[in-house]
Amino acid sequence: MPINATLAPRPAVRGFTLLELLVVMVIIGLLAGYVGPRFFAQIGKSEVKAARAQLDGLEKALDTYRLDTGHYPSSEQGLKALNERPANEPKWEGPYLKKAVPPDPWGRPYVYRSPGEHGEYDLASYGKDGQPGGEGEAADITSW
């Protein structure tokens, strides 16, 4: 083996400079700052759509309950009456939901009143803030 072969200079390995890495990090940060808020706004809209869909399903179950019994569940019986036979309810043919009543997309129970202020019953979710009223994602989602 010739001596020159073992002592031959190696080709220079070129890496990224600190400046190049910083430029890339700034570009990624700018993109995240632009795309991030738009992405999270879509999540809020999907929660509102999910709440409306759940309210629709609960309304249909309540209507079926009424067809069987002749009346909507009382406020005291609540939405629980859609899955469990209330005491002294001989015409109950449920359960009217396949699963237990889900919480709203923000993890709170739906508000049910019968008789309601806006109809035979009121069914609502108070939105993201959990308080009556509000705007945007915090607005109430109601059955009326």
Side-chain angles (χ1 to χ4, degrees):
M1 184 154 105
I3 295 177
N4 291 344
T6 60
L7 298 176
R10 295 184 184 162
V13 178
R14 175 142 161 67
F16 294 106
T17 66
L18 182 58
L19 182 60
E20 291 170 328
L21 289 174
L22 288 174
V23 168
V24 169
M25 295 296 285
V26 167
I27 291 170
I28 290 173
L30 290 172
L31 287 173
Y34 180 73
V35 173
R38 294 177 189 270
F39 174 74
F40 289 112
Q42 294 302 318
I43 291 175
K45 288 179 185 176
S46 67
E47 288 173 331
V48 171
K49 288 179 183 178
R52 290 184 201 276
Q54 286 178 340
L55 277 180
D56 186 50
L58 292 172
E59 288 174 336
K60 289 176 182 170
L62 285 165
D63 290 340
T64 305
Y65 180 99
R66 181 174 182 258
L67 287 172
D68 288 348
T69 64
H71 57 87
Y72 290 107
S74 67
S75 293
E76 292 77 29
Q77 293 170 330
L79 297 174
K80 186 177 178 182
L82 298 174
N83 285 81
E84 298 175 17
R85 179 188 295 270
N88 301 322
E89 194 61 71
K91 296 180 181 178
W92 190 84
E93 297 291 329
Y96 299 96
L97 295 172
K98 292 181 181 178
K99 298 178 182 178
V101 177
D104 70 11
W106 299 277
R108 295 182 203 89
Y110 284 98
V111 178
Y112 173 76
R113 284 185 223 102
S114 178
E117 296 175 10
H118 304 278
E120 293 187 64
Y121 66 86
D122 291 347
L123 184 60
S125 167
Y126 288 144
K128 186 174 185 175
D129 65 352
Q131 302 296 320
E135 295 179 12
E137 292 176 33
D140 298 347
I141 297 120
T142 62
S143 63
W144 59 89

